[in-house]
Amino acid sequence: MNKKIAVMRGDGIGPEIVTEAIRVLEKVAEKFGHSFSYTELLMGGCSIDATGEPLTEETLASAKACDAVLLGAIGGDVGKSPWYRLPPDKRPEAGLLKLRKGLGLFANIRPAKLFPELADACPLKPELTEGGFDFVVMRELTGGLYFGARETVTENGVRHAVDTLTYDENEIRRIAVQAFEIARKRNRRVCSVDKANVLDSSRLWRAVAEEVAADYPDVTLTHMLVDNCAMQLVRAPKQFDVILTENMFGDILSDEASMVTGSIGMLASASLGEGSFGLYEPSHGSAPDIAGQDKANPLATILSAAMMLRYSFDMEAEADAVENAVSQVLRDGIRTGDIAAPGETVIGCHAMGTAVCERI
Ligand code: NAD
């Protein structure tokens, strides 16, 4: 299969970690007989330096012409970098928001996977997480409270603020469909999270999730109230496969879910729109404190590339090969500084990429 990948290395550790992810993709291409082509694009601070804009229209158009986007990280040291003396809409992060919007990405997937070898980094009691856990949080990205009408008015000398939480059934249906499709590639269980005991938008969410479930008889749908879900994530995280939820609930739950895994350098993420196009990036930032020192952990980016293989290219065996190689690296005791226990030998970003390639 031939696939076109837009590559945005970005700033800070971005170039280093993306280099390792591409080496891994090339190993996959060689082993499975595929051909990947890479379109290098500027986004974030590097684009500001070259063009004055964090994301140009030409770059956006080039990204759209590809099958998927692989992104490193963008941004600099907020206290020191001249990028942060620019107006907010000219700063590196504005490029990311414009990119997500311009690509029509409405579903964010954050996997929360505890590798048994990194169990020490997990803040939960070992008896709750024995054997590890592996679920994803699927968060709606473009609707709900963050995008509804809002205002603050003063009436009779009293300040009064309103935020509006709205969803229409089409917005709910398209992300529910994505959640069920992804569940089919995993363990076929969707837990839809809402606040249907209080909110009308949640009652609609639940009704539409049920309608979509009728088209997926092979996937089990359950519902959970968001307050209960927040508790269950730290009480019994092994019960989940795909958590489907609206924008604000997902914002909070996905951060909680990533914290229970404990290691920022391991957290992948994907943002999907209609069809198979997606943007894949690690959940962490550009880590300017360690940029250019060969210290970054490339595994979150490598695992994001594995998600790209699975969700955008429908390459299951290839994605499994990458994920299994990462597991094997951890089993073999190979660690970058961020995931090393005291006394363990630490290797650099490039050597970690090599270690994964050797195990594919
Ligand atoms: P950060 O995630 O970049 O770093 C937080 C800490 O984690 C640092 O100590 C860093 O060294 C460490 N770290 C992060 N990723 C690592 C990795 N792969 N391997 C080893 N250690 C790693 O967060 P921050 O310092 O708050 O932000 C730095 C810059 O990144 C800011 O400009 C911020 O706006 C930007 N940022 C970008 C994104 C993105 O590109 N999507 C996301 C978050 C933050």
Side-chain angles (χ1 to χ4, degrees):
M1 225 185 267
N2 296 333
K3 293 288 175 191
K4 282 187 354 194
I5 302 171
V7 175
M8 296 182 172
R9 294 171 186 264
D11 311 313
I13 59 171
E16 302 164 54
I17 54 182
V18 168
T19 295
E20 300 315 314
I22 290 179
R23 289 177 69 213
V24 169
L25 286 170
E26 282 304 289
K27 188 70 202 264
V28 167
E30 180 197 315
K31 177 152 184 199
F32 290 86
H34 301 303
S35 158
F36 300 134
S37 66
Y38 305 94
T39 306
E40 297 273 351
L41 299 172
L42 295 179
M43 205 271 289
C46 55
S47 174
I48 297 173
D49 290 345
T51 71
E53 295 285 331
L55 175 69
T56 65
E57 291 300 330
E58 298 76 60
T59 301
L60 183 58
S62 303
K64 280 184 187 167
C66 293
D67 297 303
V69 181
L70 179 65
L71 171 65
I74 52 112
D77 185 324
V78 179
K80 292 191 197 143
S81 164
W83 299 328
Y84 296 93
R85 292 196 285 276
L86 296 168
D89 65 333
K90 299 283 184 207
R91 293 180 190 176
E93 287 71 15
L96 197 53
L97 296 181
K98 182 175 169 187
L99 182 70
R100 289 182 179 140
K101 188 157 182 246
L103 297 176
L105 305 172
F106 59 81
N108 180 249
I109 312 174
R110 293 250 297 258
K113 179 167 178 169
L114 181 67
F115 292 90
E117 298 77 15
L118 299 181
D120 284 350
C122 175
L124 303 182
K125 286 185 185 154
E127 58 267 34
L128 299 178
T129 59
E130 193 160 4
F133 53 77
D134 180 1
F135 61 91
V136 301
V137 178
M138 190 160 209
R139 164 192 173 192
E140 204 286 330
L141 270 187
T142 58
L145 206 51
Y146 298 171
F147 289 87
R150 74 190 78 245
E151 66 171 353
T152 304
V153 293
T154 304
E155 282 169 9
N156 301 325
V158 178
R159 283 173 298 162
H160 178 80
V162 184
D163 295 289
T164 319
L165 201 179
T166 78
Y167 271 108
D168 71 40
E169 60 178 305
N170 297 327
E171 289 171 305
I172 303 170
R173 186 166 291 110
R174 65 183 185 177
I175 187 166
V177 166
Q178 286 283 18
F180 279 88
E181 289 292 332
I182 276 163
R184 272 193 172 157
K185 296 183 174 186
R186 297 177 45 91
N187 293 317
R188 296 176 185 258
R189 289 183 288 119
V190 172
C191 177
S192 174
V193 172
D194 60 37
K195 191 71 184 168
N197 53 342
V198 180
L199 301 175
D200 260 28
S201 55
S202 280
R203 285 189 272 271
L204 181 62
W205 185 278
R206 200 173 269 220
V208 174
E210 291 283 354
E211 288 163 22
V212 173
D215 294 333
Y216 294 85
D218 51 323
V219 178
T220 306
L221 172 67
T222 54
H223 302 280
M224 189 178 279
L225 296 176
V226 63
D227 39 350
N228 186 24
C229 184
M231 287 195 294
Q232 295 298 329
L233 282 176
V234 290
R235 203 190 133 262
K238 285 193 277 188
Q239 70 186 285
F240 295 110
D241 181 24
V242 176
I243 293 177
L244 163 67
T245 194
E246 62 94 55
N247 200 343
M248 185 179 67
F249 297 160
D251 189 6
I252 299 165
L253 294 178
S254 59
D255 266 20
E256 186 189 358
S258 37
M259 267 320 292
V260 298
T261 68
S263 3
I264 193 169
M266 301 293 301
L267 298 171
S269 106
S271 299
L272 306 178
E274 305 280 2
S276 61
F277 188 89
L279 167 77
Y280 299 85
E281 58 178 323
S283 298
H284 58 73
S286 59
D289 53 332
I290 56 167
Q293 300 171 33
D294 194 34
K295 283 186 181 165
N297 182 352
L299 293 179
T301 316
I302 290 170
L303 291 168
S304 300
M307 291 178 85
M308 178 168 75
L309 295 171
R310 174 170 289 118
Y311 297 133
S312 281
F313 303 165
D314 213 10
M315 296 179 181
E316 277 297 319
E318 293 83 341
D320 284 347
V322 175
E323 289 167 359
N324 291 338
V326 169
S327 295
Q328 191 57 50
V329 157
L330 298 175
R331 271 198 294 279
D332 292 344
I334 297 169
R335 302 282 187 269
T336 44
D338 58 310
I339 53 172
E344 274 182 327
T345 307
V346 167
I347 62 164
C349 181
H350 185 66
M352 182 57 105
T354 303
V356 175
C357 288
E358 284 168 358
R359 286 160 181 79
I360 288 175

